[in-house]
Structure formats: C-alpha cells, structure tokens
Amino acid sequence: MATSTPGALPDDPLDLLESEALHLLHCVLFECDRPAVLFSGGKDSAVVLHLASKASWPERLEAAVLHVDTGHNFPETISYRDATVARYGAKLVVASVQAAIDSGRLVDDTRPGASRNALQSPVLLDAVAAGGFDALVGGARRDEEKARAKERMLSVRDARGGWDPNRQRPELWQLHNPRIAPGEHLRAFPLSNWTELDVWHYVAREGIELPSIYFAHRRLVVEREGMLVAVGPFTPALPGEKCFEATVRYRTVGDMTCTAAVASSASSVGEVIAELEASRTSERGATRLDDRGSPWSMEERKREGYF
C-alpha cells in the first residue's frame, strides 16, 4: 500500500488542481458575506459548481447560483441548468437580458449576426447590486484567452464593476486577500490554472454530467467565418449562406449567436478527451465568433464588468 509524506504534493495533477481550487473556494465561500457562483451551463461552470459543493461539504451549498441569461441560450443548456441547480439544492438567480431590454434599460441590436454579449455586463452588475453579492465565482481559465491570462485567481472589481490589470493583487504562496472597499466586489476563478483537457479529465474522474450538446449530434448549420453556426430562431442563415446537416458537438457553450460547433463524432467523455489530445486549436479560437474582433475585445469587455 502506497504511503504519503506529510506535506508532500499529490501524485495526481488533478488532485493538485482540485486542492488549489478548493483552497480558493474556502477563502471566498466562508470569508465573504454574500458570494454567488456564476453558472452558464457550460463544462467549466459545471466543474466550478461541483467544486463549490465539495468545498461546502458536509453542509449544503449556501451561495446563490447566478446565471446571466441572454435569452438566446441553447434550450439544452437551460434544461441542464435547471436540473443541475435543483440537484445541488441551491438557489438559482436569473439575471435576464431580455427583461432589461423589455424595460427599456438596454437596447437590443437586431442587425443580422448581432450578439447580446455586450449587454451581459450591465445586467450582471445590476444583479450584483440587487443581490448585494460581494464575490462572484466563475469558471474562466487562463489558457482560454489573452485577457484572461492576465487575471489573478482572486480579482478585485471597482464600484463600477470594472477590471484594472494594474490593480491586481500579488499571489504568493497561495495567499489570497479577500478584503474589499465599500462598493467593490471580488471575482474568483478557481480554474485559473486548469486547461481544457484538465477539465475533461476531471469530468471523467468525478462523473460530472454535462449538457448533451457537448457530445456528437446532428444539427442544421451554416459555415460562417470558417465556423459551423447552428441555424435557429436567433441565428438564421444569412444571404448567400447554404444550410446543411452535420454531425457536430460544442467545445464551449455560450449565447447561440456567438458560439459555433465543431465537426465531431465524439459521443462520450473518453472520445472527447481523445479528440482534444489530437487537437491543436483552442476552444475559443475554434468556436467563439465574439473573439474574432479586436484582439483586445475580451479585455475591453472585462473593463466594463464582464465575467
């Protein structure tokens, strides 16, 4: 029987990543007054919710689960969200972009191919103010995108929800400072040092259920900017585009208007892992239309309060 030395690092890299994530979650969930877990229904937020539940054990997860709903989500994702939150016995808070549009708070961009991504930030900040949340736990990872690579695991947002990379606190010896000034709040990213493959290996190990769109299925699509975009009520085919049916899956899940699929026959977690091990493209680079603008588009959105 193997023995371990007190204070030694875990042999399994996933154990080390999990330990780091749980350390941050303990800091946030138990030192902040009103934390909330951001949940999109995607694989990263599913893993974060699983970890938050582990960090809260043996008690039930007390933090609210907050979803910023653009109104343009995949139906499979919404069904998964409701079933998952109910399974954890958590409180679901839905911040609706559509409600903000209906009330006149925001103006929708109805041009062909337009996304509601930019409208998520004010809706999120309204939800933070209404709920009195002082910490939001998200599933962003540093390997996803350049701006996210600049993030600390514990990030301070100012009274207007803005992110300033020059105000990032040092992270030394896994010490995290959760203190904030009046009006500020924290964003915590326990998966910062994980990769896409780490997430999938952890999903396999922990038996975490994911939405069906992460696995191969038949879907009507068009090719747009070199990506496969699902055809639906919010994403109609544009003039000159040809609709066709393809076997696809999603590597990341977001708004239907800015998230593309990839051609794939992977129908199980193991097959997805094998496919990713042979891939040389990042998930956002391969599937997110909203990242095709300025190379600083994500950083600009984060300065305005984005996740």
Side-chain angles (χ1 to χ4, degrees):
M1 180 177 180
T3 59
S4 60
T5 303
L9 294 176
D11 293 331
D12 186 342
L14 285 181
D15 288 339
L16 182 59
L17 290 170
E18 181 188 62
S19 177
E20 180 183 54
L22 291 174
H23 172 74
L24 180 67
L25 285 165
H26 284 136
C27 174
V28 172
L29 296 179
F30 300 114
E31 294 191 38
C32 296
D33 293 326
R34 289 185 63 81
V37 178
L38 291 169
F39 191 77
S40 66
K43 65 185 183 308
D44 300 311
S45 60
V47 168
V48 168
L49 188 57
H50 177 82
L51 288 165
S53 179
K54 270 195 169 187
S56 302
W57 189 88
E59 303 297 329
R60 182 175 62 87
L61 177 65
E62 294 294 334
V65 176
L66 173 59
H67 179 217
V68 179
D69 184 356
T70 65
H72 290 171
N73 294 284
F74 293 94
E76 299 97 324
T77 304
I78 297 300
S79 298
Y80 169 78
R81 177 201 70 187
D82 294 342
T84 300
V85 173
R87 186 168 67 251
Y88 284 105
K91 176 186 177 182
L92 175 64
V93 176
V94 177
S96 171
V97 171
Q98 185 63 56
I101 293 170
D102 293 343
S103 70
R105 167 81 168 88
L106 299 173
V107 177
D108 196 12
D109 185 348
T110 57
R111 292 174 297 178
S115 167
R116 288 183 171 180
N117 236 8
L119 303 184
Q120 290 179 285
S121 296
V123 172
L124 172 63
L125 296 177
D126 286 349
V128 170
F133 300 125
D134 57 355
L136 301 178
V137 181
R141 308 189 322 269
R142 287 171 174 152
D143 75 324
E144 288 182 278
E145 198 272 340
K146 292 179 180 178
R148 286 181 167 170
K150 297 180 182 180
E151 277 279 18
R152 297 291 192 267
M153 295 187 75
L154 198 60
S155 172
V156 179
R157 302 301 173 101
D158 64 25
R160 301 170 71 177
W163 171 73
D164 182 354
N166 295 319
R167 293 187 62 224
Q168 298 298 294
R169 294 170 176 174
E171 292 178 344
L172 305 173
W173 309 291
Q174 287 194 322
L175 297 178
H176 300 289
N177 177 9
R179 289 177 293 182
I180 53 176
E184 294 180 336
H185 69 273
L186 298 171
R187 304 285 175 92
F189 303 105
L191 303 187
S192 288
N193 295 326
W194 298 47
T195 66
E196 183 182 10
L197 264 173
D198 291 331
V199 169
W200 278 99
H201 280 296
Y202 191 74
V203 165
R205 190 182 83 172
E206 301 290 305
I208 299 172
E209 184 179 347
L210 295 179
S212 59
I213 60 175
Y214 273 108
F215 306 99
H217 58 284
R218 299 290 289 176
R219 191 176 287 265
L220 188 66
V221 299
V222 295
E223 185 172 345
R224 184 177 302 164
E225 298 184 30
M227 300 183 184
L228 299 178
V229 177
V231 177
F234 310 121
T235 52
L238 301 178
E241 292 181 334
K242 181 179 179 181
C243 300
F244 60 97
E245 195 173 79
T247 301
V248 300
R249 71 174 191 86
Y250 286 82
R251 288 178 65 179
T252 179
V253 173
D255 190 308
M256 291 178 67
T257 62
C258 61
T259 308
V262 294
S264 173
S265 60
S267 59
S268 68
V269 173
E271 289 176 354
V272 169
I273 290 173
E275 182 180 271
L276 291 176
E277 287 176 336
S279 175
R280 293 297 178 266
T281 59
S282 71
E283 61 200 285
R284 292 192 71 93
T287 64
R288 294 302 290 262
L289 291 161
D290 51 331
D291 287 345
R292 290 298 180 93
S294 161
W296 307 111
S297 58
M298 172 65 79
E299 183 160 332
E300 291 166 359
R301 293 201 300 270
K302 286 164 67 65
R303 290 178 187 274
E304 295 172 356
Y306 191 68
F307 309 143

